[in-house]
Amino acid sequence: AEDILAVEFCHAGQRVLVLGSAGMDADTEYPTGVDMLVFPCQGRRNMQKYIMPFMETFRPKTLFFDHFDDAMPPVTETVALPPIVSAVAERFPEVKCVIPARGRMV
């Protein structure tokens, strides 16, 4: 089993699930139908394929990308989000993808 940090925040009927890493434990029951999934994108070069089980499990209405920037080089690198956004949009067209930018309100 993998130890994964997953925190669900609920406020005014909205549910936000924040993942600390891009991993899931097969024996853990996770919440589904969340309003927003905050998904960390570091650590995989093929994230557009790797993210699909998370989308199928959590069924978020909004996907908020996190940890895609080069915050701790040489351990991290900037992750190309367009291929991930395109793959999600193709398979889950109803899901809104949010890419945060410094100084911009989302």
Side-chain angles (χ1 to χ4, degrees):
E2 283 187 62
D3 289 331
I4 303 299
L5 174 67
V7 179
E8 183 179 18
F9 296 94
C10 302
H11 177 71
Q14 298 290 303
R15 297 169 51 220
V16 176
L17 182 64
V18 179
L19 296 181
S21 63
M24 283 192 289
D25 178 62
D27 297 324
T28 300
E29 186 175 328
Y30 293 99
T32 61
V34 296
D35 293 291
M36 179 180 285
L37 173 62
V38 179
F39 189 81
C41 292
Q42 285 289 336
R44 305 248 188 241
R45 295 203 184 273
N46 61 344
M47 191 58 78
Q48 60 270 22
K49 294 177 184 174
Y50 191 76
I51 196 172
M52 293 307 162
F54 293 89
M55 297 300 296
E56 291 166 0
T57 297
F58 300 120
R59 297 290 180 179
K61 295 175 186 167
T62 301
L63 177 60
F64 186 95
F65 294 101
D66 184 30
H67 197 45
F68 59 86
D69 57 341
D70 193 12
M72 295 174 35
V75 177
T76 61
E77 60 187 38
T78 300
V79 175
L81 292 180
I84 303 168
V85 171
S86 294
V88 169
E90 182 177 317
R91 191 142 167 212
F92 302 94
E94 71 282 3
V95 174
K96 177 184 175 184
C97 290
V98 177
I99 301 171
R102 184 176 301 195
R104 187 184 82 202
M105 294 294 291
V106 180

